[in-house]
Amino acid sequence: MHIPPRVLTVAGSDSGGGAGIQADLKTMLALGTHGMSVLTAVTAQNSLGVQGAWELPAEAVRAQFRSVVDDIGVQAVKTGMLSSAELVETVAELLAGLRVPVVVDPVGVSKHGDALLAATALDAVRTALLPTATVATPNLDEVAQLTGIRVEEEADMRRAAAAVLDFGPRWALIKGGHLTAGHGDADSAVDLLTDGTEEHWLRAPRHDNRHTHGTGCTLASALAAQLAKGDTVPQAAAAAKDYVTGALAAGFRLGAGIGPVDHGWRWRDAH
C-alpha cells in the first residue's frame, strides 16, 4: 500500500476556491502528497475581493492541529492567513514542537488589497512565527510590511532577504513577481532564495495573464509538498517555481474579477 507524503496547511478558507486552504489542498494533491488542514479563518471571498472574514478561536485551531499531528503525523507544514496576534502566537507555539520542514507564507494582504493580518499581529509574526520557519516566502508588499524595506529593483532583494533572515527563518524566498517593468527583466519573474550564504536566483517567463489569484498560497504549498517528498530547499523551490509558473500561464477567468491560477494544469496538459 502506497502512502503519500503528508502535508499540513494552517490557513484561512477562500470560498471562491482560488487561494487559501482550497488552493493549498489542490496544490498538494497535484504534487502527489496528502494534504490536511487546520482552518484559522473563514472568508466570504470571490473574484472581486473579500466581503467578510471570521477568525476561529485559538482553541479550535489548537484542537485541529493536535488531532491531525498526534494521529496521522506530518512531513511538512505550510502556514498562510493567521489574521491575529493570538493565532500567530498559538500556531508558532504548536510549530515549535515539530521536527519537520515549515514553510511560512506571511500573508498580509489579499490579491485585491484586503487586509488579512491585523497590524497588531506583525510583531508576533516577526518574533514568534518566522523563527519556526525552514523557509519564509514573503512577496514584496509583505517584505515592506515586515522590514520596512521597499524593493524597487532586483538589487534590493538581497537587502530584503537579509532583513527577513534576521527574524530567524533558515531560508528566505523573496518573491519578485511584483517588480514593475524597468526595474529588472521585464520578461521574467525573478525570486531570490537564500540562507545568507547560498544564493539561488529563480527566473521564469512572465505571462501576460491577469488571472493570478492564489499565486502565493500555491507557491508556498508546492514548496512544502516538495520538502515533504524529501527535496532539499533549493530543489523544492525550483520545483515549486516551475509548478506555479505553469499554473499562472493557465490561469482562467472566473466571475467578474481576477480568476485563479490553474492547479490542475499538468493533468490537463497530459489529457
Side-chain angles (χ1 to χ4, degrees):
M1 181 185 296
H2 171 69
I3 301 173
R6 293 144 291 158
V7 190
L8 178 63
T9 168
V10 183
S13 166
D14 171 5
S15 55
I21 289 276
Q22 287 81 352
D24 297 342
L25 293 176
K26 290 173 188 177
T27 300
M28 291 166 186
L29 178 63
L31 293 175
T33 63
H34 175 70
M36 303 168 291
S37 62
V38 170
L39 228 64
T40 60
V42 177
T43 68
Q45 188 172 169
N46 56 26
S47 70
L48 299 172
V50 179
Q51 292 78 45
W54 298 268
E55 184 184 315
L56 268 67
E59 178 186 4
V61 171
R62 193 176 289 108
Q64 291 175 82
F65 188 94
R66 290 265 61 95
S67 179
V68 171
V69 171
D70 294 347
D71 173 51
I72 300 170
V74 298
Q75 286 158 289
V77 180
K78 175 257 176 182
T79 72
M81 175 186 177
L82 300 181
S83 72
S84 71
E86 183 184 18
L87 286 189
V88 170
E89 288 163 359
T90 298
V91 171
E93 182 186 333
L94 291 165
L95 293 175
L98 293 183
R99 295 291 176 266
V100 300
V102 173
V103 178
V104 170
D105 187 17
V107 175
V109 179
S110 78
K111 183 72 69 182
H112 304 88
D114 303 290
L116 299 176
L117 181 72
T120 52
L122 283 171
D123 269 346
V125 172
R126 295 181 189 109
T127 61
L129 186 64
L130 286 174
T132 71
T134 308
V135 193
T137 64
N139 63 31
L140 301 188
D141 291 335
E142 290 154 357
V143 165
Q145 209 177 24
L146 290 165
T147 70
I149 293 173
R150 300 210 165 271
V151 176
E152 304 289 350
E153 52 190 37
E154 277 187 31
D156 298 332
M157 292 173 75
R158 279 196 183 97
R159 193 161 53 96
V164 171
L165 288 171
D166 280 346
F167 294 125
R170 283 173 43 206
W171 292 81
L173 177 60
I174 308 298
K175 299 179 294 192
H178 291 178
L179 276 178
T180 53
H183 297 282
D185 185 349
D187 297 323
S188 69
V190 60
D191 304 331
L192 171 60
L193 173 73
T194 180
D195 63 354
T197 304
E198 288 183 43
E199 255 186 24
H200 302 269
W201 292 89
L202 306 174
R203 297 180 187 276
R206 191 182 288 277
H207 295 284
D208 184 19
N209 184 356
R210 70 186 291 260
H211 301 300
T212 59
H213 186 49
T215 312
C217 304
T218 299
L219 180 70
S221 295
L223 188 49
Q226 293 299 133
L227 290 171
K229 286 154 67 173
D231 279 3
T232 64
V233 171
Q235 288 170 339
K241 176 82 168 177
D242 182 64
Y243 172 73
V244 82
T245 299
L248 272 164
F252 52 90
R253 183 165 55 85
L254 207 65
I258 299 172
V261 301
D262 184 0
H263 299 97
W265 69 274
R266 282 182 176 154
W267 178 84
R268 275 182 252 286
D269 279 1
H271 290 77

